[in-house]
């Protein structure tokens, strides 16, 4: 009996340690206030490079400090252990590896003349007005084929940004097109982890969930293509298509083909780096040590965002440990009073969790059991639940300044996340299209 009472007291104390409620999200709020808040303020003041005034990794360091100061009932050593364990998990390290490989590939391909050749090749055959919508459509196709947004961004971002810079286009527009097209497929593909998690978690057939999503995503994609056609050709300076060597373009083709074949994205980028060196040496466009130095320089450019990814994961580990996720789920669930409210609540829950945890798959896995219960109460079909959970998880995370895709685009293109967000036509269109279907019951499929 004494042992049982002791166990109950220990369990109660552990629960108290973890139950900080809304305060658990304070570290993330501090990070966003420092980085995004200062960035917006300096933008309005007309300062050059406004988002560089309070660097991302320094803002995250402030968030880490707040996370460690919260919850005095927990030992600091335990907090640090949770934080560092989350920093070093395999998923985070894979993202860091992809960042470094993408930077290395961009540097290597540029050193052997591939950057200039791919730019000139595109300018020879594609009108400037169609370059950005073309990038969006290509990303839609690749992401639907391989089922991953991160893989698509890693494969397409170096190519698309190089073309944009060579054609004097607004790189922020191109970056937004890459992100939008990449999440189009991540949200729809039959082999995407988000699609599988949403369908399985909500008890829906994959094909039914696909159809439901497709008729919401299609109007948003069409609007995005039209807007990218209007805004995509806005550049500065004269545009002249120079000469190109098709052999120097091969590394880019190899990367795209390998990605479409489903090869691991880190391996794809490594093969691209290797191909750039071999071709450069064979055609005499770069020397061995020039190639090596270009890889190193490209990787160095990605060090900052690699640190950001690691620090974000550490903060999120403590937010979860402090009970932030449980509080958010409970807070949203308690406000649901009608079918329409249920659909908004499910979508909001999935989206906020995805944005907060910077992982749409985990957000979907957490949301699905609650969504299923709510769906049974308000007679919402499983395919509708799966569609809502997946759409909001993908849409919200794609708009976050600390998402992996956004970090890669802003690092490679050297633009602020605010500039990219201005042109995120597809992501905003997807959210609006989904809200219209909820508000007017357009896809009111009952059990």
């Amino acid at each position: 009996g004494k042992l049982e009472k002791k166990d109950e007291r220990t369990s109660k104390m552990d629960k108290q340690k973890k139950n900080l409620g809304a305060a658990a999200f304070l570290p993330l709020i501090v990070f966003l206030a420092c980085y995004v808040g200062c960035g917006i303020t300096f933008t309005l003041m007309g300062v050059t490079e406004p988002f560089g005034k309070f660097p991302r990794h320094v803002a995250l360091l402030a968030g880490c400090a707040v996370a460690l100061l919260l919850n005095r009932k927990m030992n600091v050593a335990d907090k640090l252990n949770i934080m560092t364990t989350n920093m070093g998990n395999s998923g985070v390290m894979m993202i860091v590896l992809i960042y470094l490989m993408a930077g290395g590939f961009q540097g290597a391909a540029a050193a052997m003349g591939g950057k200039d050749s791919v730019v000139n090749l595109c300018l020879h055959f594609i009108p400037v007005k169609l370059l950005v919508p073309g990038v969006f459509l290509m990303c839609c196709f690749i992401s639907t084929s391989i089922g991953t947004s991160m893989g698509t961004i890693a494969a397409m971002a170096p190519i698309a940004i190089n073309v944009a810079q060579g054609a004097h286009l607004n790189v922020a527009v191109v970056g937004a097109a890459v992100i939008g097209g990449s999440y189009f497929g991540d949200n729809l593909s039959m082999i995407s982890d988000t699609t599988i998690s949403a369908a399985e978690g909500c008890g829906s057939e994959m094909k039914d969930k696909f159809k439901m999503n497709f008729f919401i995503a299609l109007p948003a994609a069409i609007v995005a293509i039209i807007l990218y056609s209007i805004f995509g050709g806005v550049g500065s300076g004269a545009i002249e298509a120079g000469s190109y060597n098709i052999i120097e373009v091969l590394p880019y083709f190899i990367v795209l083909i390998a990605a479409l074949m489903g090869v691991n994205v880190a391996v794809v980028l490594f093969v691209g780096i290797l191909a750039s060196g071999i071709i450069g040496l064979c055609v005499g466009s770069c020397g061995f040590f020039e190639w090596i130095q270009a890889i190193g320089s490209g990787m160095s450019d990605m060090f900052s965002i690699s640190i950001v990814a690691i620090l974000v994961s550490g903060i999120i580990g403590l937010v979860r440990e402090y009970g932030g996720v449980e509080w958010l789920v409970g807070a949203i669930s308690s406000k649901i009073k009608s079918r329409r409210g249920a659909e908004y609540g499910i979508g909001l829950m999935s989206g906020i969790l995805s944005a907060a945890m910077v992982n749409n798959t985990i957000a979907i896995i957490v949301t699905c059991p609650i969504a299923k219960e709510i769906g049974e109460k308000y007679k919402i079909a499983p395919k509708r639940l799966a569609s809502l959970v997946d759409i909001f998880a993908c849409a919200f995370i794609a708009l976050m300044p600390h998402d992996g895709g956004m970090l890669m685009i802003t690092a490679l293109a050297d633009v602020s996340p605010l500039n990219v967000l201005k042109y995120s036509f597809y992501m905003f269109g997807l959210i609006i299209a989904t809200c219209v279907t909820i508000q007017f019951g357009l896809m009111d499929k009952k059990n």
Side-chain angles (χ1 to χ4, degrees):
K2 288 182 179 179
L3 284 172
E4 285 179 3
K5 286 181 180 179
K6 187 178 179 181
D7 288 341
E8 283 178 13
R9 283 197 301 271
T10 304
S11 177
K12 190 175 181 180
M13 285 174 66
D14 287 342
K15 192 173 182 182
Q16 286 175 342
K17 282 182 182 180
K18 296 180 180 181
N19 192 21
L20 291 186
F25 288 101
L26 191 58
L28 278 177
I29 293 168
V30 168
F31 156 61
L32 292 172
C34 291
Y35 176 55
V36 180
C38 286
I40 292 171
T41 302
F42 284 116
T43 299
L44 295 173
M45 290 170 63
V47 176
T48 307
E49 296 185 1
F51 280 82
K53 294 294 181 183
F54 205 126
R56 284 175 292 208
H57 42 284
V58 180
L60 279 165
L61 198 61
C64 287
V66 172
L68 292 173
L69 288 171
L70 285 175
N71 202 350
R72 298 294 179 86
K73 295 176 183 177
M74 186 181 289
N75 190 290
V76 174
D78 292 337
K79 295 176 187 177
L80 285 169
N81 183 51
I82 293 164
M83 183 180 282
T84 52
T85 300
N86 281 273
M87 284 178 178
N89 72 52
S90 60
V92 177
M93 290 300 104
M94 177 55 75
I95 288 173
V96 169
L97 182 60
I98 290 170
Y99 287 160
L100 296 177
M101 289 291 195
F105 172 64
Q106 188 184 40
M112 52 76 73
K115 175 180 175 179
D116 293 334
S117 283
V118 77
V119 169
N120 291 329
L121 177 66
C122 290
L123 292 177
H124 263 95
F125 296 102
I126 305 171
V128 174
K129 277 279 186 184
L130 298 179
L131 279 174
V132 181
V135 164
F136 175 76
L137 284 170
M138 190 177 291
C139 288
C140 288
F141 174 72
I142 294 171
S143 59
T144 305
S145 301
I146 67 176
T148 164
S149 56
M150 196 66 208
T152 305
I153 293 169
M156 275 297 296
I159 305 170
I161 289 167
N162 286 344
V163 171
Q165 290 169 339
H168 308 294
L169 296 176
N170 185 337
V171 288
V173 179
V174 178
V178 170
I179 292 173
S182 298
Y183 274 100
F184 174 90
D186 194 13
N187 181 227
L188 282 173
S189 176
M190 293 286 193
I191 58 172
S192 167
D193 53 355
T194 59
T195 297
I196 294 167
S197 300
E200 292 294 324
C202 293
S204 166
E205 291 289 333
M206 290 279 284
K207 58 181 176 58
D208 293 334
K209 185 262 180 191
F210 174 84
K211 290 176 186 175
M212 179 72 70
N213 266 39
F214 181 75
F215 288 113
I216 298 172
L218 183 61
I222 291 170
V223 169
I225 291 167
I226 293 168
L227 290 174
Y228 284 131
S229 298
I230 296 168
F231 294 99
V234 179
S236 60
I239 300 171
E240 291 183 13
S243 61
Y244 63 90
N245 185 342
I246 196 67
I247 296 173
E248 292 176 346
V249 182
L250 282 178
Y252 292 103
F253 286 142
I254 290 168
V255 165
L256 292 178
I257 292 166
L260 285 170
M261 289 171 63
V263 180
N264 181 282
V265 67
V267 176
V268 166
L269 292 168
F270 179 78
V271 170
I273 292 170
L274 199 60
S276 299
I278 293 170
I279 293 169
L281 292 170
C282 289
V283 301
S285 57
C286 74
F288 177 76
F289 286 105
E290 186 183 352
W291 171 61
I292 292 294
Q293 288 170 357
I295 296 170
S297 178
M299 292 175 74
S300 296
D301 292 340
M302 307 301 279
F303 286 169
S304 177
I305 65 162
S306 298
I307 296 300
V308 168
I310 291 168
L311 292 174
V312 164
S313 300
I315 290 176
I316 288 162
L318 280 177
V319 169
R320 193 185 294 120
E321 181 68 20
Y322 292 159
V325 173
E326 290 86 348
W327 171 83
L328 183 63
V329 169
I332 294 175
S333 299
S334 65
K335 302 294 182 185
I336 294 171
K337 305 296 180 187
S338 64
R339 180 196 166 89
R340 183 183 296 164
E343 292 195 350
Y344 276 124
I346 289 165
L348 197 61
M349 190 189 307
S350 181
I352 293 175
L353 285 173
S354 180
M357 296 193 289
V358 205
N359 191 310
N360 47 3
T361 305
I362 293 176
I364 288 167
I365 291 168
V366 171
T367 305
C368 279
I370 298 103
K372 205 171 179 181
E373 282 185 29
I374 295 169
E376 287 173 2
K377 182 178 179 181
Y378 292 99
K379 306 298 180 187
I380 306 172
K383 59 185 177 182
R384 177 64 171 170
L385 294 173
S387 176
L388 290 171
V389 168
D390 197 358
I391 285 174
F392 278 93
C394 288
F396 273 49
I397 195 173
L399 299 172
M400 292 297 108
H402 54 292
D403 174 48
M406 182 70 81
L407 289 174
M408 183 178 289
I409 292 293
T410 53
L412 291 174
D414 194 24
V415 293
S416 76
L418 197 65
N419 283 337
V420 177
L421 285 176
K422 285 193 300 187
Y423 302 106
S424 297
F425 304 131
Y426 174 70
M427 302 319 307
F428 287 118
L430 184 62
I431 293 171
I432 292 168
T434 311
C435 289
V436 167
T437 66
I438 295 172
Q439 190 66 31
F440 298 101
L442 300 181
M443 306 188 89
D444 190 9
K445 303 294 181 183
K446 295 183 180 179
N447 278 318

